[in-house]
Amino acid sequence: DLKRLSWDADRFEVFPTHARLFLDSRKTDQNYGGEWIDIANVAPTAASFNISCYQLVLAMHARARGVGPVLRRIHLRNGAHLASPFVLAGRGSEKMPVGAPMYMARNDLVKLLRRHLIADCGLSAAEAALFSGHSPRAGGATEMVKQRVPHHIIQLLAGTTGADWIKTYD
């Protein structure tokens, strides 16, 4: 789901209280209506490694110059860097036509996440290895269960229809 997020003007908005990204589709959205993902503007705490997610998102938006996918491909030639263009150019195929979005691969996302957890958050390599591409959703659900958020609200925010999966994180 994360790979579908974009910095484009109709998909990213900033307010004094929060920033929001539009997710046009997710695997658990049976109505295919899309939804906004809000990032609250709250002060960083020790629990958040003294990092403000709101400020981080604004910095990422500025770095991407406000266009293209949030999670871009990574080229490894001449040192790792974000890829451009963001769509397939040159020769396409039936499965990948010219102009198809070129999102970051899941393995690259996990490697990038772990590298930043070590460099930016001070985690050890062993601690960072506990995180994967699914960790934000699982971590959010776990925290909401700990804060005693009603299960129907957790289900709505996580985009699930069954309550059984909550037991896994509880």
Side-chain angles (χ1 to χ4, degrees):
D1 293 342
L2 291 175
K3 73 181 185 180
R4 301 188 60 86
L5 295 175
S6 169
W7 296 122
D8 297 330
D10 62 337
R11 296 170 150 249
F12 179 70
E13 299 176 345
V14 178
F15 302 94
T17 56
H18 66 287
R20 58 190 340 209
L21 288 154
F22 186 70
L23 188 57
D24 63 347
S25 173
R26 61 192 295 194
K27 63 183 177 186
T28 55
D29 178 13
Q30 284 112 19
N31 297 323
Y32 303 102
E35 62 188 72
W36 287 96
I37 308 299
D38 293 339
I39 301 108
N41 183 4
V42 295
T45 65
S48 68
F49 302 101
N50 292 313
I51 296 170
S52 165
C53 290
Y54 178 82
Q55 292 298 324
L56 181 61
V57 165
L58 295 184
M60 291 169 62
H61 178 258
R63 186 181 215 176
R65 295 184 180 92
V67 296
V70 170
L71 299 176
R72 293 184 269 174
R73 293 179 300 145
I74 297 176
H75 279 307
L76 299 177
R77 275 188 228 139
N78 303 321
H81 62 279
L82 294 176
S84 180
F86 309 121
V87 295
L88 184 63
R91 295 180 53 186
S93 68
E94 189 174 323
K95 283 180 94 173
M96 290 293 293
V98 171
M102 297 298 294
Y103 303 114
M104 182 183 287
R106 184 182 187 284
N107 288 343
D108 288 338
L109 169 64
V110 173
K111 288 177 191 174
L112 185 66
L113 171 67
R114 290 175 179 169
R115 188 171 74 228
H116 282 285
L117 287 171
I118 293 167
D120 300 337
C121 301
L123 271 62
S124 69
E127 290 169 323
L130 298 174
F131 289 82
S132 71
H134 190 68
S135 295
R137 183 175 174 183
T142 300
E143 185 60 28
M144 286 188 280
V145 168
K146 286 170 49 178
Q147 298 298 326
R148 300 177 195 247
V149 172
H151 284 199
H152 71 280
I153 294 175
I154 300 172
Q155 284 177 243
L156 176 68
L157 295 173
T160 63
T161 57
D164 291 344
W165 69 272
I166 293 175
K167 294 176 187 172
T168 304
Y169 304 125
D170 188 2

